[in-house]
């Protein structure tokens, strides 16, 4: 009992010294009533939130007063979103990759769907290539390279171990 109390007192003393030393704790300045997003992408002064089966576009030009400007229902659970040149590339699990035009943030609309085997978990963009990681929950997955021009087509893939969680390209 004394040891547990000593640990609590030591943690409280550390936190007191840390905040007194000029460090500030993060402070919540606003919240949105839409539920918990799986993913957030930033496009200028807009946030693109993937929540369940939908995208929510939020104007964050005033961070203390964010406001929803649009919602768009999509098939599949949204697991990742990357925004590039006014387009959102959405990893929509079993519904593949959905391409959404964000040219008018108040009126997003789906342009096309890119069908890939498995459940698309993550996406990344590098130039004119889209990289999508898809798995089937079996521990074996694929990383697909998709050429976006002139129209989407798979140009290559590689098998990977484990189920994908993220894709980053540099």
């Amino acid at each position: 009992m004394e040891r547990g109390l000593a640990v609590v007192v030591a943690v409280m003393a550390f936190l007191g010294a840390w905040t007194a030393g000029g460090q500030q704790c993060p402070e919540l300045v606003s919240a949105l009533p839409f539920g918990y997003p799986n993913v957030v992408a930033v496009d200028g002064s807009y946030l693109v939130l993937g929540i369940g089966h939908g995208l929510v576009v939020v104007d964050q030009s005033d961070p203390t007063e964010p406001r929803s400007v649009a919602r768009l229902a999509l098939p599949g659970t949204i697991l990742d979103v990357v925004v590039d040149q006014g387009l959102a590339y959405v990893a929509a699990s079993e519904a593949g990759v959905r391409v959404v035009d964000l040219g008018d943030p108040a009126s997003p609309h789906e342009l096309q769907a890119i069908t890939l085997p498995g459940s698309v978990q993550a996406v990344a963009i590098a130039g004119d290539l889209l990289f999508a990681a898809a798995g089937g929950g079996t521990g074996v997955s694929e990383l697909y390279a998709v050429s976006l021009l002139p129209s989407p087509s798979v140009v290559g893939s590689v098998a990977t171990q484990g189920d994908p969680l993220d894709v980053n390209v540099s």
Side-chain angles (χ1 to χ4, degrees), residues 35-90:
Y36 298 104
N38 290 335
V39 66
V40 177
V42 179
D43 184 27
S45 64
Y46 293 93
L47 298 175
V48 180
L49 310 176
I51 302 174
H53 292 269
L55 285 182
V56 177
V57 180
V58 175
D59 181 350
Q60 63 155 359
S61 54
D62 178 359
T64 62
E65 293 290 330
R67 61 184 181 83
S68 170
V69 295
R71 296 181 192 183
L72 177 65
L74 294 171
T77 302
I78 297 173
L79 300 174
D80 197 11
V81 176
V82 64
V83 178
D84 184 58
Q85 299 182 15
L87 298 175
Y89 297 90
V90 180

Side-chain angles (χ1 to χ4, degrees), residues 10-11 27 73 92 94 102 106 120 150 158:
V11 169
E27 179 182 339
E94 66 281 352
L102 297 173
V120 179
V158 62

Side-chain angles (χ1 to χ4, degrees), residues 86-123:
L87 298 175
Y89 297 90
V90 180
S93 59
E94 66 281 352
V97 177
R98 312 310 272 207
V99 182
V100 176
D101 185 348
L102 297 173
D104 177 4
S107 183
H109 59 278
E110 186 175 353
L111 291 176
Q112 65 189 154
I114 302 170
T115 304
L116 297 170
S119 175
V120 179
Q121 306 290 308
V123 289

